[in-house]
Amino acid sequence: MNRVYVCSCFGVTEQQVKQHAESGACTPRQIASACKAGTDCGSCVRRIQAILGRGACPSRELVDGGRPVLSELERLEEAA
Protein backbone atom coordinates (compact mmCIF):
# COMPACT_ATOMS: atom_id res chain seq x y z
CA MET A 1 0.00 0.00 0.00
CA ASN A 2 1.47 3.34 -1.08
CA ARG A 3 0.81 6.02 1.55
CA VAL A 4 1.30 9.69 0.79
CA TYR A 5 1.78 11.53 4.05
CA VAL A 6 0.39 15.04 4.26
CA CYS A 7 1.27 15.62 7.92
CA SER A 8 4.45 13.93 9.06
CA CYS A 9 4.06 15.28 12.63
CA PHE A 10 0.95 13.18 13.22
CA GLY A 11 1.25 10.60 10.42
CA VAL A 12 -1.86 11.76 8.55
CA THR A 13 -2.15 10.56 4.96
CA GLU A 14 -3.74 12.22 1.97
CA GLN A 15 -6.40 9.51 1.97
CA GLN A 16 -7.28 10.31 5.60
CA VAL A 17 -7.65 14.01 4.78
CA LYS A 18 -9.96 13.09 1.89
CA GLN A 19 -12.02 10.83 4.15
CA HIS A 20 -12.44 13.61 6.72
CA ALA A 21 -13.45 15.99 3.93
CA GLU A 22 -16.06 13.52 2.69
CA SER A 23 -17.38 13.41 6.25
CA GLY A 24 -17.86 17.17 6.23
CA ALA A 25 -14.54 18.73 7.27
CA CYS A 26 -14.14 21.29 4.51
CA THR A 27 -11.55 23.71 5.89
CA PRO A 28 -8.01 23.18 7.17
CA ARG A 29 -9.24 24.07 10.66
CA GLN A 30 -11.94 21.38 10.50
CA ILE A 31 -9.38 18.87 9.25
CA ALA A 32 -7.16 19.83 12.20
CA SER A 33 -10.04 19.23 14.60
CA ALA A 34 -10.68 15.83 13.05
CA CYS A 35 -7.11 14.48 12.99
CA LYS A 36 -4.66 17.12 14.35
CA ALA A 37 -3.03 17.62 10.93
CA GLY A 38 -1.65 21.15 10.70
CA THR A 39 -1.61 21.81 14.45
CA ASP A 40 2.10 21.26 15.17
CA CYS A 41 4.63 22.76 12.76
CA GLY A 42 2.00 23.91 10.24
CA SER A 43 3.99 22.98 7.16
CA CYS A 44 1.16 20.77 5.85
CA VAL A 45 -1.59 23.42 5.94
CA ARG A 46 -1.03 24.48 2.31
CA ARG A 47 -1.07 20.87 1.19
CA ILE A 48 -4.38 20.36 3.03
CA GLN A 49 -5.75 23.49 1.35
CA ALA A 50 -4.70 22.10 -2.02
CA ILE A 51 -6.39 18.75 -1.34
CA LEU A 52 -9.61 20.49 -0.31
CA GLY A 53 -9.40 22.81 -3.32
CA ARG A 54 -9.21 19.83 -5.68
CA GLY A 55 -12.70 18.79 -4.74
CA ALA A 56 -12.07 16.45 -1.81
CA CYS A 57 -14.85 18.26 0.01
CA PRO A 58 -18.24 17.40 -1.49
CA SER A 59 -20.51 20.23 -2.55
CA ARG A 60 -23.07 21.23 0.04
CA GLU A 61 -26.29 23.11 -0.40
CA LEU A 62 -26.26 26.60 0.97
CA VAL A 63 -28.07 26.89 4.26
CA ASP A 64 -29.34 30.31 3.28
CA GLY A 65 -30.95 28.95 0.10
CA GLY A 66 -28.66 30.97 -2.14
CA ARG A 67 -29.62 34.36 -0.73
CA PRO A 68 -26.86 36.77 0.21
CA VAL A 69 -25.99 36.41 3.89
CA LEU A 70 -26.75 40.03 4.68
CA SER A 71 -30.17 40.01 3.01
CA GLU A 72 -31.85 38.79 6.19
CA LEU A 73 -30.23 41.56 8.27
CA GLU A 74 -31.18 44.18 5.71
CA ARG A 75 -34.77 42.95 5.71
CA LEU A 76 -34.92 43.14 9.51
CA GLU A 77 -33.50 46.67 9.50
CA GLU A 78 -36.06 47.81 6.94
CA ALA A 79 -38.89 46.35 9.02
CA ALA A 80 -37.73 48.20 12.17
Side-chain angles (χ1 to χ4, degrees), residues 5-13 16 32 35-42 44 48:
Y5 286 94
V6 173
C7 177
S8 57
C9 295
F10 294 105
V12 179
T13 65
Q16 288 173 306
C35 64
K36 297 173 79 174
T39 61
D40 194 24
C41 76
C44 61
I48 293 168

Side-chain angles (χ1 to χ4, degrees), residues 2-80:
N2 188 11
R3 294 184 183 174
V4 177
Y5 286 94
V6 173
C7 177
S8 57
C9 295
F10 294 105
V12 179
T13 65
E14 185 172 329
Q15 185 61 34
Q16 288 173 306
V17 171
K18 289 178 181 180
Q19 287 172 344
H20 288 301
E22 289 170 2
S23 297
C26 293
T27 66
R29 184 169 290 195
Q30 291 171 339
I31 295 293
S33 293
C35 64
K36 297 173 79 174
T39 61
D40 194 24
C41 76
S43 66
C44 61
V45 174
R46 287 187 182 214
R47 176 93 171 125
I48 293 168
Q49 288 172 327
I51 292 168
L52 296 175
R54 288 196 309 251
C57 184
S59 299
R60 297 175 302 193
E61 290 185 31
L62 294 174
V63 174
D64 61 14
R67 295 186 317 268
V69 175
L70 295 177
S71 67
E72 185 67 21
L73 291 175
E74 291 169 351
R75 186 179 64 75
L76 291 174
E77 287 177 357
E78 289 173 2

